[in-house]
Amino acid sequence: MHPALIDMIRYASERKKSVNFTTNATLLPGKTDMLLGSGLDAIAFSFPEAGQFSRLISENAAAFVRQRNTKKQKLPKTYVNIALMPENFGSVDAGLRLAKNAGVDVVNFERSFPWTETRATSEPVLFSRIRSAARKTRCKVTLPVPHTSTCPLNQLTLFVRWNGDVTPCCYRADHILGNILNEDFPGILENREEFQKTMKTDLVCSRCRV
């Protein structure tokens, strides 16, 4: 959707930065060649509900993978991201079959927010179901690692909103660490370090299991 997407990818790639982005694949047709030549490292086809991984979207993803393979490129790696949420628990098999048909490299399951203590307790059964479905479909999957505090999502990423506001993660748009458009980056990182010291008592982060 962003008119300068290819330019942004090239800019970062030329400076030896790993670049990936997430899309629902609906706008891929006509842009595949540019993306394949941009230096992109990974592309994730992501849906909040597995049921939204429609045949049309699967076909768009499959066309992207075929074109990459025709060019004999190893990159970008292709993923399907599926959020672990109650709405998805009954459609895991269908989602994996569509992902397999699309030819993506791996299906990545992610915890949804909020991931409560109750859901955390039921994880072994849910993960077992996913592994079983993966064996049936011969689809490679990755499952989320155990939650830790301070959470790795906050340690390894910064979430930048459309207006330049920087927040601890995509779930904490309510907590502003600074603005990338008018504040220096080292200062924003210092604010993040200070925030990390309070995470264990923060009303949201202390209960988060994502």
Side-chain angles (χ1 to χ4, degrees):
M1 292 178 66
H2 198 294
L5 174 64
I6 303 300
D7 293 331
M8 292 190 291
I9 294 172
R10 287 200 182 108
Y11 180 89
S13 179
E14 289 170 358
R15 286 155 180 79
K16 310 301 181 184
K17 305 299 182 184
S18 177
V19 185
N20 68 80
F21 79 97
T22 301
T23 175
N24 63 15
T26 56
L27 299 181
L28 271 183
K31 299 179 175 63
T32 299
D33 274 335
M34 291 186 294
L35 287 169
L36 290 174
S38 66
L40 184 67
D41 291 288
I43 183 169
F45 309 118
S46 184
F47 311 92
E49 297 179 26
Q52 293 182 9
F53 193 27
S54 67
R55 186 166 299 278
L56 173 63
I57 292 172
S58 179
E59 289 173 356
N60 287 349
F64 184 91
V65 173
R66 285 196 302 270
Q67 199 158 335
R68 180 199 65 178
N69 294 344
T70 298
K71 291 177 176 290
K72 297 182 179 180
Q73 293 183 207
K74 294 183 178 180
L75 298 178
K77 292 293 185 182
T78 54
Y79 301 83
V80 165
N81 282 342
I82 297 179
L84 288 172
M85 53 198 304
E87 292 86 346
N88 281 335
F89 295 167
S91 54
V92 168
D93 293 81
L96 288 177
R97 283 196 297 270
L98 283 168
K100 180 67 175 180
N101 291 338
V104 296
D105 298 309
V106 66
V107 177
N108 180 50
F109 287 88
E110 299 177 335
R111 294 184 182 94
S112 60
F113 182 84
W115 194 253
T116 62
E117 288 286 359
T118 301
R119 291 186 187 177
T121 302
S122 64
E123 273 188 2
V125 174
L126 175 60
F127 288 4
S128 178
R129 285 178 53 196
I130 292 172
R131 292 190 186 98
S132 176
R135 287 192 294 270
K136 291 177 183 177
T137 57
R138 297 182 181 179
C139 198
K140 182 179 179 181
V141 301
T142 59
L143 294 168
V145 299
H147 175 82
T148 58
S149 185
T150 303
C151 77
L153 184 63
N154 181 259
Q155 291 175 308
L156 300 176
T157 68
L158 277 177
F159 181 69
V160 184
R161 301 187 67 210
W162 65 273
N163 60 355
D165 283 345
V166 179
T167 67
C169 76
C170 55
Y171 306 115
R172 293 305 309 274
D174 62 302
H175 190 95
I176 310 301
L177 300 172
N179 187 286
I180 201 72
L181 300 179
N182 51 41
E183 296 180 48
D184 65 285
F185 193 59
I188 293 175
L189 292 181
E190 288 180 7
N191 291 340
R192 181 176 68 165
E193 290 177 3
E194 290 301 313
F195 175 75
Q196 287 175 349
K197 296 176 182 178
T198 69
M199 289 183 70
K200 289 185 178 181
T201 57
D202 184 88
L203 289 177
V204 176
C205 292
S206 62
R207 301 174 184 175
C208 178
R209 296 294 177 267
V210 175

